[in-house]
Amino acid sequence: MCKTAPSKISEVGGLHSFSVFGKAPGWVNTGFPAGFTSQAPFVSAWITLKSVLTLEYVVFSPNITWFLLSWAYLTAFPYSYSEGTWNTMGYRLLVNCTLAFAYYFFFYFGLYIANWGKRKFYPGNYPTMGNMAHNMWYWFLGVLQWTAYEIGMQKIWASNLFPTPPTMAEIRASPELIALNVGVLLLIPIWRDIHFYSAHRFLHIRPLYRLVHSLHHRNTDPEPFSGLTMHPMEHLYYYSNALFPCIYMTGLSPLVFHFLFFHLVFAPAAGHSGFEDHFGSDQYHAIHHAKFEANYGSPNSAFIDRFFGTFRETLGKSKEYTGEWKEEDKGKEKKKKKLVWSAHSYLGLWGSLAQGLYDISVFGVAVAAMYYVWVGGLDDKQSTLLGLLVSVGPVVSGVFVNNVVSRDKMNQAWPFHKEAVGFYYTVVTGGLFCVLPVYHFVKLAAQA
Ligand SMILES: [Zn+2]
Ligand SMILES: [Zn+2]
């Protein structure tokens, strides 16, 4: 294989020679079809550490572009700590939908209408109008939940339960606050990688995969909007990334919260484009959508995939992958490739009784949570119960529905049942990084 070293100067901010479309990342060997360059030489714990220590992962990556966009967005539409109520939700939702749609449609237009990308992972494969309606419905639910988190956080900041965040002037006047905020902002991209790895594996455990994450995987060949096409319970745990620093640390600028959410909402557009040759393209995750049980993380967390034997370096034949993939599964793989899009359950219609029961249970809790968070003023016991229902409820309901209603015969730890520590790693980090922050956030917001 011809190793092509990344041309750093031309990839500042993830912009290849300052062009958004039509250029593959520097490490790609364009002599191979899209997705067939091995990522093995470019991912390891040492490479991740080096890229963090030298700030390469900030400057020579899309992270700096997303940070600048997030900063501009928050400056134009700042948070409020006195009117942080549900009354402002309609306005915020309109702004969030408009800006997020503009960003997602920019990639959709460039790649699927103007044809500025030439290297599609699955050439000739394009979504139908039905696929797009399905994707955009769940995409909208993702923006809606983001907005609800923003309003909930403003409500918490406006209450006496949590210190009001410092202003820019207060941060500039304090060397400690400058160090804290710059340090946390620089760590956000790597925290995203580590949290995504854990949340994603958590959602792949059999009951949650069947009832929640499988919706995201209907897009075996994604397009930009499919990046945020998730079951609302996947949004819940995916977004918990932004809560982990913001409700456990004081002295943080609102920009920390905003950048975390901006990264969570905007980064998946380019990462699910279906193409290789543009800003923010992501072969690593495209392989995950094609192969399901490999590449749970991203290039920066690939060393954890390597440790568990779930790293797959190319869409072609893999030398590295030692996970659950077997030679005899190849026939099934070919069938799956033809079944690119889901033939059922468009626009949130239930494909099975089990799915219907699960969705009714979690939807009921979500409506109750939104009502009580709106009303606010719950006491300690009431808010604890609500926090548990929202954070642990989707897991308990998933295990119950999958075992009792569906009578699922498969190992409930699938696909991690054969990993010595992998299943426990997944449960512990999923509990700590996803379930716990959601619990604390809902409890605080319901008391505020
Ligand atoms: Zn997945
Ligand atoms: Zn995905």
Side-chain angles (χ1 to χ4, degrees):
M1 192 205 77
C2 160
K3 280 188 213 169
T4 312
S7 170
K8 297 295 182 198
I9 296 304
S10 66
E11 291 187 11
V12 174
L15 290 162
H16 320 308
S17 303
F18 300 100
S19 62
V20 178
F21 296 105
K23 283 245 174 162
W27 58 269
V28 167
N29 181 347
T30 50
F32 292 152
F36 279 68
T37 304
S38 171
Q39 287 189 286
F42 310 110
V43 296
S44 70
W46 169 239
I47 290 173
T48 298
L49 184 66
K50 209 169 67 175
S51 125
V52 171
L53 293 176
T54 59
L55 297 186
E56 186 186 317
Y57 77 115
V58 173
V59 181
F60 298 106
S61 94
N63 288 319
I64 194 80
T65 305
W66 289 322
F67 172 71
L68 293 172
L69 287 172
S70 157
W71 194 351
Y73 182 4
L74 192 65
T75 306
F77 300 96
Y79 288 141
S80 155
Y81 314 130
S82 53
E83 300 161 38
T85 69
W86 295 97
N87 300 334
T88 59
M89 184 154 176
Y91 170 69
R92 196 87 204 172
L93 181 62
L94 185 68
V95 176
N96 283 349
C97 276
T98 305
L99 294 179
F101 183 82
Y103 187 82
Y104 273 75
F105 188 72
F106 172 71
F107 285 97
Y108 185 83
F109 177 83
L111 297 169
Y112 290 81
I113 296 174
N115 295 321
W116 291 330
K118 301 296 174 211
R119 293 177 60 80
K120 197 168 188 310
F121 291 120
Y122 286 98
N125 199 25
Y126 288 90
T128 63
M129 291 295 279
N131 303 144
M132 292 308 299
H134 168 90
N135 284 355
M136 290 185 69
W137 165 241
Y138 286 99
W139 174 91
F140 169 72
L141 292 183
V143 179
L144 180 67
Q145 196 172 133
W146 164 34
T147 311
Y149 268 119
E150 284 192 306
I151 300 298
M153 196 69 213
Q154 288 174 81
K155 203 165 166 268
I156 291 169
W157 282 330
S159 75
N160 53 12
L161 295 168
F162 203 87
T164 307
T167 61
M168 273 298 179
E170 285 166 341
I171 293 173
R172 274 198 296 268
S174 159
E176 290 84 15
L177 285 179
I178 292 175
L180 174 73
N181 281 278
V182 170
V184 170
L185 282 168
L186 286 175
L187 284 173
I188 282 177
I190 198 70
W191 166 236
R192 274 278 284 126
D193 283 318
I194 301 299
H195 180 275
F196 178 74
Y197 189 86
S198 298
H200 192 187
R201 272 177 71 106
F202 189 56
L203 289 158
H204 266 266
I205 298 176
R206 179 68 179 168
L208 285 179
Y209 181 80
R210 277 193 80 199
L211 297 162
V212 178
H213 187 51
S214 58
L215 190 140
H216 182 67
H217 274 283
R218 284 179 198 167
N219 292 284
T220 52
D221 177 17
E223 54 74 40
F225 286 92
S226 68
L228 211 57
T229 297
M230 304 174 188
H231 188 285
M233 293 307 110
E234 177 168 354
H235 290 130
L236 183 82
Y237 294 131
Y238 173 68
Y239 288 156
S240 67
N241 169 277
L243 311 179
F244 206 92
C246 295
I247 55 166
Y248 295 123
M249 292 172 76
T250 57
L252 295 179
S253 160
L255 183 59
V256 169
F257 182 76
H258 192 264
F259 178 41
L260 277 158
F261 259 107
F262 190 94
H263 205 292
L264 285 157
V265 172
F266 286 68
H272 288 78
S273 67
F275 283 78
E276 185 185 61
D277 52 342
H278 62 84
F279 163 87
S281 67
D282 190 352
Q283 171 180 313
Y284 200 89
H285 196 62
I287 292 174
H288 176 69
H289 275 262
K291 308 293 183 187
F292 297 90
E293 287 163 14
N295 293 11
Y296 294 104
S298 54
N300 270 331
S301 59
F303 65 93
I304 320 180
D305 267 322
R306 269 194 155 149
F307 176 77
F308 289 126
T310 53
F311 171 59
R312 196 175 176 110
E313 72 277 25
T314 167
L315 265 179
K317 200 166 168 46
S318 173
K319 287 182 198 154
E320 293 241 357
Y321 186 60
T322 58
E324 301 308 320
W325 201 250
K326 297 181 194 75
E327 283 299 308
E328 58 264 29
D329 289 333
K330 276 192 172 169
K332 289 179 203 163
E333 182 194 4
K334 275 180 190 150
K335 269 187 201 161
K336 275 181 190 166
K337 268 187 188 167
K338 281 181 196 158
L339 243 175
V340 166
W341 300 97
S342 170
H344 62 274
S345 295
Y346 290 135
L347 295 173
L349 297 174
W350 300 317
S352 67
L353 173 69
Q355 187 71 56
L357 286 173
Y358 180 76
D359 286 356
I360 287 169
S361 74
V362 293
F363 181 70
V365 170
V367 169
M370 285 179 85
Y371 173 75
Y372 284 113
V373 169
W374 181 13
V375 173
L378 292 193
D379 65 25
D380 193 52
K381 270 189 186 161
Q382 292 165 329
S383 58
T384 297
L385 180 65
L386 192 68
L388 285 172
L389 281 172
V390 177
S391 60
V392 190
V395 179
V396 174
S397 177
V399 171
F400 175 80
V401 167
N402 199 47
N403 283 277
V404 179
V405 181
S406 280
R407 294 173 186 270
D408 185 20
K409 296 278 185 291
M410 279 182 75
N411 190 318
Q412 295 298 288
W414 184 276
F416 311 118
H417 57 298
K418 287 184 182 170
E419 293 179 5
V421 289
F423 177 69
Y424 300 102
Y425 166 90
T426 307
V427 171
V428 169
T429 56
L432 278 177
F433 296 166
C434 302
V435 175
L436 204 63
V438 168
Y439 165 75
H440 283 127
F441 178 84
V442 172
K443 187 171 157 64
L444 267 178
Q447 286 181 317

